[in-house]
Amino acid sequence: MKSKVSEKIAYLQLFAYLAIFTIFVLGTTIVLHEMGHFFVGLLNQCTGQIILLDSQSFSTYTRLECAGAGNTQFLYLSSLLFVVPFAFSFLLLKGFPERYFSLMVLGIGILSSANDLFVVSGSYAAVAFSYIVGGIIYWSGQVFMANEMFA
């Protein structure tokens, strides 16, 4: 029988593991979101850079300058180009609670695309939909993983 102290230490270790892994996975998701914009921009003969942290606005974005008209809507929607395969890669972790990171990555991908959806659609309803659906998917992943790890 485990003592209460060793049980608490085990929970703290698990919490630290999840916190570090979550920060890594979500940070990677943001980078992949911006890489989607950048890659499609390169395909459309655009030049630019990825700003991973703007110290003035504390935000990430991709600055692109495109010579031709191109399909700017596709540039905005390309944010999920690398995020979705990254999300589904976690499904390969069958038998591991970390497979639920697939839901968390997909949720963050949808949440981080809210501003892109607004630029494309001009609709606050699309932004609200993105926040609601992305949030539900993200928190579902958190709940499923926690239930499996603490069961």
Side-chain angles (χ1 to χ4, degrees), residues 20-72:
I20 291 168
F21 199 66
T22 299
I23 290 167
F24 169 75
V25 168
L26 298 181
T28 303
T29 302
I30 297 300
V31 170
L32 291 173
H33 169 103
E34 298 303 337
M35 281 180 57
H37 293 306
F38 189 75
F39 181 74
V40 171
L42 290 178
L43 292 177
N44 284 307
Q45 286 85 37
C46 301
T47 59
Q49 57 188 348
I50 296 174
I51 310 297
L52 292 178
L53 181 60
D54 184 346
S55 61
Q56 293 178 342
S57 65
F58 294 104
S59 64
T60 64
Y61 58 90
T62 301
R63 180 181 299 145
L64 294 171
E65 295 176 17
C66 303
N71 188 348
T72 57

Side-chain angles (χ1 to χ4, degrees), residues 46-137:
C46 301
T47 59
Q49 57 188 348
I50 296 174
I51 310 297
L52 292 178
L53 181 60
D54 184 346
S55 61
Q56 293 178 342
S57 65
F58 294 104
S59 64
T60 64
Y61 58 90
T62 301
R63 180 181 299 145
L64 294 171
E65 295 176 17
C66 303
N71 188 348
T72 57
Q73 290 185 337
F74 188 64
L75 282 172
Y76 283 104
L77 296 177
S78 63
S79 61
L80 295 175
L81 181 66
F82 295 123
V83 171
V84 171
F86 181 59
F88 286 122
S89 71
F90 285 99
L91 294 176
L92 299 173
L93 298 172
K94 293 180 181 175
F96 292 94
E98 289 84 356
R99 72 182 178 279
Y100 293 115
F101 272 109
S102 62
L103 292 173
M104 295 165 63
V105 168
L106 191 58
I108 290 296
I110 293 169
L111 282 166
S112 64
S113 297
N115 290 335
D116 300 328
L117 286 174
F118 180 74
V119 171
V120 171
S121 69
S123 167
Y124 287 107
V127 173
F129 179 78
S130 176
Y131 283 145
I132 292 168
V133 170
I136 289 171
I137 292 171

